[in-house]
Amino acid sequence: MSTYQCSPPVNSLVLYKVRPARVVSVGEKIEIELDGGHKRVRPKDVALLHPGPLHRLADLAPQEGELHAAWELLEGSETNLKDLAELAFDAFTPATAWAAWQLVSEGLTFSGTPEQIQARPREAVERDRAEREAKAAEERDWHAFLERMAAAAPVPEDRGRLGEIERLAHGQSEHSRILAALGHQQTPENAHRALVQVGHWHASHNPYPARCGVPTRDPDLPVPAPVEEDRLDLTHLAAYAIDDEGNQDPDDAISVDGDRLWVHVADVAALIDAESEIEREARARGANLYLPEGVVNMLPATVTDALGLGLQSISPALSFGMLCNAAGEIEDIQVHRTWVRVERLSYDRVEERLDEGPFAAIRCLVEPFRARRHADGATGLDLPEVSIRVEDGKVRIRPLLRLGSRAMVTDAMLMAGVAAGRFCLERGIPIPYATQALPEGLDTATDLASMYARRRRFKPTRLTGTPELHAGLGLPIYTRATSPLRRYSDLLVHQQIRAELTGRSGLSEEEVTARVAQAELAAASVRRGERLSNQHWKHVFLRENQEWRGDGVVVDSDERKVTVVIPDLALEARVRSRDAAGLNERLRLTVTEVDVPALTSGFRILG
């Protein structure tokens, strides 16, 4: 550090790193006194500021002088520490030497070494001063912001900064300087908590669609007008679109014509060309996003308005007609572009009329098919399901009953999927087939615990270019073809069938495979967003209903805890149990704590 050839004298003022020091003794090493103790250092580690005598570091008191005037006189020239101290303070003492050096080390008006100090030019000084003042103001603003965050009292001007925490909460970044400064771990859950705590997010805010990277608004694209074309007129047949109460996208309906079952499906491919911008948008989304707070459509809302079955007096459809023999085999498959007249009904309403004419006839036509599926290994897992809706800010959870009407419609739609798959296979039309591998070691599942265990063994459904077994459905060939308003793969199947019916060239197998792969990636994000959103609102419900009491059915256990399924909420939970609980035993539970951002709720066994 020092440029002096000899050691500084005893009681001199020296600079050690950036601190003032008094020389106590001189030898092979120099003993110096620092604020806080003594230290032995090498001569080159110190720089002489004043020869002394300096008897106490406490004598280095602040000095008043003409600092600005000294800089103005010296601007653009060089000096040394002694001359600068004398010019600024009219004296060269240890105290004025230290005061002058502090001015130099500040680096604004002066810079350099004790022996060679430059008085910086005015332009550079003014530029640096402005930058320092701006930085100081920024630091003051930053610390004031952190104080407001700690007090949970942000102001409107903080909204831009809070966007940084939102990006972490939405999984769009991995870091937040704000959370780090507040001493929180930088996780999406902590970001969620922070935004709720300061009131930037409502306590019930659902972050999962954004966190899963799925669009949260309907596409805003122009929809072409329908094309005039010949269609088979089936308006003389009574057709029923049967769905949950409040459904807004009816895309399938059922008719009976003697022994023939017709499944009519909204003819979405009539409007959505395989090479259109709307098709590309639907492919990028993969499927509708169904949230308790509403639906985000993969297609513009005007498509549903125009093609949803029963939304207009007469609707265009792609209709699958079929017979089902006593062995449950599909025969005499017909596929037509049609006109249909559809009445919309809820499952509950149809349940009351299952023994009446048209519905009794539909049941008779689908029952052999259902029996055949179950004989071929279809899995009937009777696990709890619920409907979750957020209405007027309130979470409403309603168990879905195992209705005969729902099972009837499900089988009719599966029959249409078999018919569509067979139609395409026989004609060499490339489409995606839905398949599911048969898991090993499956036993008959008759109770909730065994059904829970069985479900965990099943592998997810895959879409492939060749028909293979769908083990869960008990079907050797099956494609999804009854939800083109809601699911891209169904729309693709319709486009390929329409190309065949109209004599046009459809997509190649390679093109179908590529499009399905893209859409399935998007659809996987949609399904994850739906699953996490449903969990989110279940925990919001429990937070808002701390007095909740209900039953949990034991489906698994270990030494310390049991896993229960709560039928009323279709929710799994781990519960501490002092006594051994058997599988399928019902335990009366109460909620103890809820952490919405972490998607966890604690329960305690009553009695």
Side-chain angles (χ1 to χ4, degrees):
M1 179 182 289
S2 176
T3 58
Y4 291 94
Q5 299 300 315
C6 57
S7 297
V10 173
N11 288 328
S12 62
L13 171 66
V14 296
L15 182 68
Y16 175 68
K17 296 183 178 179
V18 296
R19 301 165 62 189
R22 181 178 71 87
V23 176
V24 177
S25 64
V26 177
E28 185 176 343
K29 284 195 171 184
I30 301 173
E31 182 182 358
I32 59 174
E33 176 192 359
L34 295 161
D35 183 16
H38 287 225
K39 188 177 184 70
R40 293 177 62 80
V41 299
R42 298 168 298 180
K44 68 176 184 178
D45 291 334
V46 298
L48 181 66
L49 296 182
H50 193 280
L54 174 64
H55 300 292
R56 300 182 310 157
L57 287 175
D59 292 339
L60 301 179
Q63 303 290 305
E64 293 185 3
E66 300 294 333
L67 303 178
H68 187 73
W71 166 69
E72 287 186 326
L73 287 172
L74 296 171
E75 180 191 355
S77 64
E78 289 189 358
T79 186
N80 56 44
L81 188 62
K82 179 178 182 299
D83 291 345
L84 177 59
E86 290 178 342
L87 182 61
F89 302 107
D90 292 328
F92 182 50
T93 67
T96 61
W98 177 242
W101 178 251
Q102 287 181 293
L103 184 66
V104 176
S105 62
E106 184 187 40
L108 180 61
T109 52
F110 295 94
S111 64
T113 65
E115 299 84 16
Q116 192 173 19
I117 298 172
Q118 292 81 38
R120 301 181 70 223
R122 183 177 299 275
E123 180 181 348
V125 170
E126 291 178 349
R127 181 191 66 239
D128 287 359
R129 179 180 285 117
E131 290 177 357
R132 293 185 184 195
E133 289 174 352
K135 185 176 181 180
E138 183 179 331
E139 282 296 310
R140 289 192 299 272
D141 182 57
W142 168 250
H143 288 293
F145 166 72
L146 292 181
E147 289 175 359
R148 292 194 296 273
M149 287 292 292
V155 295
E157 291 74 21
D158 295 331
R159 177 169 292 276
R161 275 196 172 117
L162 291 172
E164 173 196 292
I165 306 180
E166 278 192 310
R167 287 188 290 276
L168 177 57
H170 285 151
Q172 297 164 356
S173 70
E174 297 180 355
H175 305 287
S176 168
R177 178 190 174 205
I178 300 169
L179 285 189
L182 293 171
H184 301 313
Q185 286 188 328
Q186 299 174 68
T187 66
E189 295 78 14
N190 280 336
H192 185 167
R193 290 188 186 94
L195 292 169
V196 170
Q197 182 181 9
V198 301
H200 185 69
W201 277 2
H202 188 274
S204 300
H205 178 84
N206 177 13
Y208 294 102
R211 194 178 294 179
C212 292
V214 296
T216 54
R217 294 185 179 180
D218 290 355
D220 183 16
L221 294 170
V223 177
V227 177
E228 294 289 335
E229 56 183 349
D230 291 334
R231 291 179 176 272
L232 176 66
D233 190 347
L234 295 181
T235 56
H236 62 285
L237 297 177
Y240 304 96
I242 308 169
D243 218 318
D244 289 307
E245 191 73 44
N247 173 269
Q248 298 299 314
D249 45 16
D251 49 11
D252 54 63
I254 308 171
S255 292
V256 175
D257 186 8
D259 292 336
R260 181 174 297 279
L261 180 74
W262 285 98
V263 173
H264 314 291
V265 185
D267 196 0
V268 182
L271 285 185
I272 311 303
D273 184 82
E275 302 301 332
S276 65
E277 185 179 359
I278 297 179
E279 190 278 344
R280 288 190 291 273
E281 180 65 23
R283 195 191 323 162
R285 291 175 179 242
N288 279 7
L289 175 66
Y290 288 95
L291 302 174
E293 57 267 49
V295 180
V296 181
N297 295 291
M298 74 169 186
L299 296 170
T302 50
V303 175
T304 298
D305 294 340
L307 300 178
L309 300 187
L311 298 184
Q312 308 295 333
S313 59
I314 297 177
S315 302
L318 186 67
S319 297
F320 300 88
M322 68 210 86
L323 302 179
C324 182
N325 64 28
E329 299 167 334
I330 304 299
E331 299 178 331
D332 192 18
I333 297 168
Q334 297 182 21
V335 182
H336 298 282
R337 292 166 292 159
T338 62
W339 290 112
V340 292
R341 192 187 308 275
V342 177
E343 179 183 356
R344 298 185 64 195
L345 295 171
S346 69
Y347 287 120
D348 292 339
R349 181 73 183 93
V350 173
E351 190 72 13
E352 299 170 354
R353 301 168 56 187
L354 277 180
D355 294 329
E356 295 181 9
F359 307 112
I362 295 171
R363 289 176 66 191
C364 286
L365 291 178
V366 304
E367 280 175 356
F369 176 77
R370 180 186 306 146
R372 176 63 179 264
R373 285 198 307 112
H374 286 285
D376 289 342
T379 302
L381 296 181
D382 191 12
L383 292 168
E385 295 182 83
V386 296
S387 168
I388 309 171
R389 294 286 182 268
V390 179
E391 300 168 351
D392 300 325
K394 293 291 185 181
V395 186
R396 293 177 170 83
I397 301 179
R398 179 174 61 88
L400 291 178
L401 302 178
R402 297 295 173 182
L403 300 176
S405 57
R406 192 181 297 273
M408 178 187 74
V409 172
T410 296
D411 277 300
M413 298 306 119
L414 293 178
M415 290 172 70
V418 171
R422 292 249 308 270
F423 180 87
C424 293
L425 182 64
E426 291 166 2
R427 292 160 179 77
I429 304 171
I431 61 167
Y433 295 90
T435 70
Q436 185 183 55
L438 182 66
E440 297 179 0
L442 283 186
D443 299 322
T444 301
T446 58
D447 53 55
L448 191 57
S450 59
M451 291 180 189
Y452 175 81
R454 190 170 192 178
R455 183 185 63 180
R456 296 172 68 179
R457 292 184 182 179
F458 268 95
K459 297 179 180 179
T461 296
R462 296 186 307 116
L463 297 183
T464 66
T466 55
E468 297 174 8
L469 173 69
H470 194 295
L473 298 177
L475 296 174
I477 180 172
Y478 173 66
T479 188
R480 294 168 173 168
T482 59
S483 297
L485 284 172
R486 308 183 238 189
R487 203 162 45 207
Y488 175 82
S489 63
D490 301 50
L491 172 59
L492 179 57
V493 170
H494 277 232
Q495 289 171 334
Q496 292 291 87
I497 291 175
R498 275 189 61 88
E500 174 74 12
L501 295 178
T502 56
R504 295 181 292 109
S505 296
L507 301 173
S508 68
E509 184 174 348
E510 291 76 15
E511 290 172 318
V512 168
T513 300
R515 292 190 179 196
V516 168
Q518 179 186 352
E520 280 301 285
L521 281 176
S525 295
V526 168
R527 290 190 292 269
R528 183 168 181 267
E530 291 173 345
R531 177 174 56 82
L532 292 172
S533 294
N534 285 335
Q535 290 184 40
H536 167 83
W537 289 110
K538 290 176 186 179
H539 293 293
V540 170
F541 172 84
L542 289 170
R543 185 194 64 205
E544 294 176 350
N545 294 272
Q546 294 283 338
E547 75 289 351
W548 180 89
R549 303 286 187 274
D551 288 345
V553 180
V554 178
V555 294
D556 200 0
S557 64
D558 55 30
E559 293 180 358
R560 298 181 179 178
K561 290 186 176 182
V562 295
T563 299
V564 298
V565 169
I566 302 172
D568 288 348
L569 303 175
L571 180 68
E572 294 178 26
R574 297 270 290 161
V575 182
R576 198 173 291 277
S577 176
R578 290 178 295 180
D579 302 320
L583 293 180
N584 298 303
E585 182 178 343
R586 281 187 173 266
L587 304 175
R588 192 67 177 170
L589 304 175
T590 182
V591 65
T592 57
E593 58 183 353
V594 180
D595 186 345
V596 172
L599 294 181
T600 59
S601 291
F603 297 89
R604 177 172 56 85
I605 300 173
L606 292 171

